[in-house]
Amino acid sequence: MSIDRSRTTRPPATPGTGHGRISTETVRTIVESSHTRRTFWRQLALIGPAFVAGAWQFGPGNLTTAMNAGAAYGYTLIWVIIVSTILMIFLTDMSVRLGIRTPVSLIASVKERLGGWVGVLAGFGVFLITLCFSVGNAVGSGVGLSMLIPGTSPIMWTIICTVAVASILFLKGIYRVVEKILIGIVALMAVCFIVSAFAANPDWAAAGTGLIPIVPDNAWLLIIGLVGTNFSINAAFYTSYGTKARGRKKEDYREITIVDTIPGIVAPGIMTALVIVVAAAVLNATGTDAPGAFGGLARIFEPIAGPVGAWIFALGFFGAAFSSMIPNCVAGGTMLSDALGKGASAETKTARLGSAFILAFGVAVTLIFSGSSPVELIILAQALTVLFAPILALLIIVMANDRRLMGPLRNTWWQNVFGVIGLVSVLALSIRLIISLIGS
């Protein structure tokens, strides 16, 4: 007698058949939620290269020029920050795409497509800019810690900070270490300066008028300094290396733009604008001179936080200096090593020696000009960075338009429009600075 097994044998129990198991709908919900969690953490892991560029961008030079802009001209120069931030986003975005598409590194690709001497020029251009930035970082770190611990020597703290950064250079996997340190410091600075903006009780309506482009008399050097720090072409250029170090792929590009490129550049732009607002409310309103800006701003928290208020500001100022000091020397050393054909890594011998020279240069200039106004020294150093910026901006735009290299990530026409606007802007400011220096 045959047995009808279809009636007596039970089908395998699966999540979708019932049989005391969870339902298909429940399984779908679990899978979708698991995918959401993975997507969230994957997006969080994409944060890094642009925030490093932002931390480098928002250094003591940026903070000092913004303080002086607010102290001397009130809210008038806020528009410079807005324009610089928009242009910085576009140049950084180009660099991110170059980091995704270049086989080895940006300078190596420049050498291959435009000639070896062009790549060497680009690498030395970034290196020279980092030398200028190193002065502001060295001065700023010493000033910040001396404000934190009154009665101590700024020069002593400059040397200590330099030694601390030098020790970081010997760590393996240096880029990941730098990223973690900088993201934490940027978050701390953001809190400090957002609180400071509201503590200063500024005239927000008057601040709104600062969005209208106006160039006050005798403000060109300050404007050039603001652009040199906020539209930081060298930081944008180096972003391609951070993107390459993190192994980013074409399919990551859209998410990178949303979670890293835009917020990483907008954050320091907002903080810089807030510094101008605070300086305008506290220093411009009271007529505090620029050389006294450090002490004046350090007192903005005192009405609501007592002596701790000055400590909070000093901590933010030190954070700006230290967070910029690390990527500045790492990027300069890496670019030098890559330009000389010694490798596009911060851990090569040439890169470490280049980074050490950048740190030593900052300390040396700080010691030599220790009797000068730290504010004026920082502003001049930041302004000088725009002399080399046009070359780097041109290379980024040219490489981002290379069809064979970029493929589907090649620049669109509207990205080129903003890139050309940025190039023309830094070129015009470079010419203006040269004329000013010759005239003086």
Side-chain angles (χ1 to χ4, degrees):
M1 183 176 66
S2 63
I3 299 175
D4 187 357
R5 295 185 181 276
S6 65
R7 295 174 179 241
T8 60
T9 304
R10 200 170 186 177
T14 65
T17 61
H19 302 319
R21 307 288 181 174
I22 57 178
S23 68
T24 303
E25 189 64 32
T26 303
V27 171
R28 184 180 294 112
T29 302
I30 292 173
V31 171
E32 289 177 353
S33 63
S34 175
H35 175 71
T36 300
R37 285 195 298 270
R38 286 198 301 271
T39 300
F40 170 77
W41 289 112
R42 182 173 177 272
Q43 287 182 336
L44 196 64
L46 292 174
I47 295 175
F51 275 89
V52 170
W56 185 6
Q57 174 186 342
F58 191 78
N62 189 311
L63 186 53
T64 302
T65 51
M67 285 192 299
N68 277 261
Y73 302 105
Y75 306 105
T76 306
L77 297 179
I78 292 177
W79 66 271
V80 178
I81 309 303
I82 305 301
V83 173
S84 297
T85 299
I86 293 172
L87 296 177
M88 181 68 179
I89 289 173
F90 279 92
L91 265 292
T92 303
D93 173 70
M94 293 180 200
S95 187
V96 167
R97 286 184 277 118
L98 284 165
I100 292 173
R101 297 293 299 181
T102 51
V104 179
S105 70
L106 180 51
I107 286 182
S109 294
V110 168
K111 287 181 176 180
E112 178 185 345
R113 285 164 168 74
L114 303 178
W117 68 272
V118 181
V120 172
L121 180 64
F124 273 91
V126 175
F127 183 73
L128 291 173
I129 290 175
T130 59
L131 288 179
C132 295
F133 272 122
S134 71
V135 177
N137 295 334
V139 173
S141 62
V143 170
L145 284 176
S146 66
M147 287 192 295
L148 275 173
I149 307 175
T152 56
S153 168
I155 298 297
M156 176 191 73
W157 287 119
T158 292
I159 295 173
I160 291 175
C161 288
T162 301
V163 172
V165 172
S167 65
I168 292 175
L169 299 181
F170 290 97
L171 297 175
K172 290 185 177 181
I174 186 170
Y175 187 79
R176 295 296 180 90
V177 175
V178 169
E179 267 192 357
K180 291 177 181 178
I181 293 174
L182 296 185
I183 290 174
I185 293 178
V186 168
L188 175 63
M189 288 191 296
V191 173
C192 288
F193 291 111
I194 289 174
V195 172
S196 71
F198 289 95
N201 193 26
D203 183 343
W204 292 106
T209 63
L211 300 178
I212 302 173
I214 296 174
V215 179
D217 294 337
N218 303 317
W220 275 111
L221 183 60
L222 199 53
I223 290 174
I224 293 171
L226 285 171
V227 173
T229 54
N230 289 277
F231 187 28
S232 182
I233 308 297
N234 55 317
F237 196 93
Y238 184 64
T239 303
S240 68
Y241 285 77
T243 303
K244 178 66 65 180
R246 294 290 293 269
R248 300 300 185 228
K249 305 297 182 184
K250 183 180 71 173
E251 53 269 23
D252 297 325
Y253 168 65
R254 184 179 179 84
E255 292 176 316
I256 290 172
T257 304
I258 296 171
V259 304
D260 187 47
T261 305
I262 293 177
I265 301 304
V266 169
I270 291 175
M271 288 191 288
T272 305
L274 290 177
V275 172
I276 293 180
V277 168
V278 173
V282 176
L283 304 179
N284 185 261
T286 59
T288 305
D289 293 334
F294 291 125
L297 273 182
R299 291 193 296 271
I300 64 173
F301 283 123
E302 289 183 358
I304 60 173
V308 178
W311 187 86
I312 293 174
F313 171 79
L315 185 63
F317 190 80
F318 165 71
F322 196 75
S323 66
S324 183
M325 182 181 287
I326 299 172
N328 185 67
C329 67
V330 171
T334 303
M335 297 295 100
L336 181 65
S337 176
D338 200 11
L340 296 176
K342 303 298 183 180
S345 169
E347 298 181 13
T348 66
K349 182 178 179 180
T350 302
R352 292 183 188 276
L353 289 174
S355 298
F357 182 83
I358 292 168
L359 292 172
F361 182 85
V363 173
V365 174
T366 302
L367 290 172
I368 293 171
F369 295 94
S370 59
S372 304
S373 166
V375 172
E376 294 175 357
L377 181 60
I378 291 174
I379 291 175
L380 179 59
Q382 301 308 120
L384 289 173
T385 62
V386 303
L387 292 176
F388 312 102
I391 297 173
L392 301 179
L394 178 61
L395 288 177
I396 290 175
I397 295 170
V398 169
M399 296 300 292
N401 278 282
D402 189 311
R403 291 180 181 274
R404 186 161 56 94
L405 174 66
M406 299 302 292
L409 293 183
R410 179 174 174 263
N411 269 7
T412 61
W413 68 267
W414 55 272
Q415 288 169 327
N416 280 325
V417 168
F418 281 94
V420 171
I421 291 173
L423 172 61
V424 172
S425 298
V426 293
L427 181 60
L429 290 176
S430 296
I431 296 172
R432 178 87 190 196
L433 178 60
I434 294 172
I435 293 174
S436 300
L437 292 176
I438 293 176
S440 60

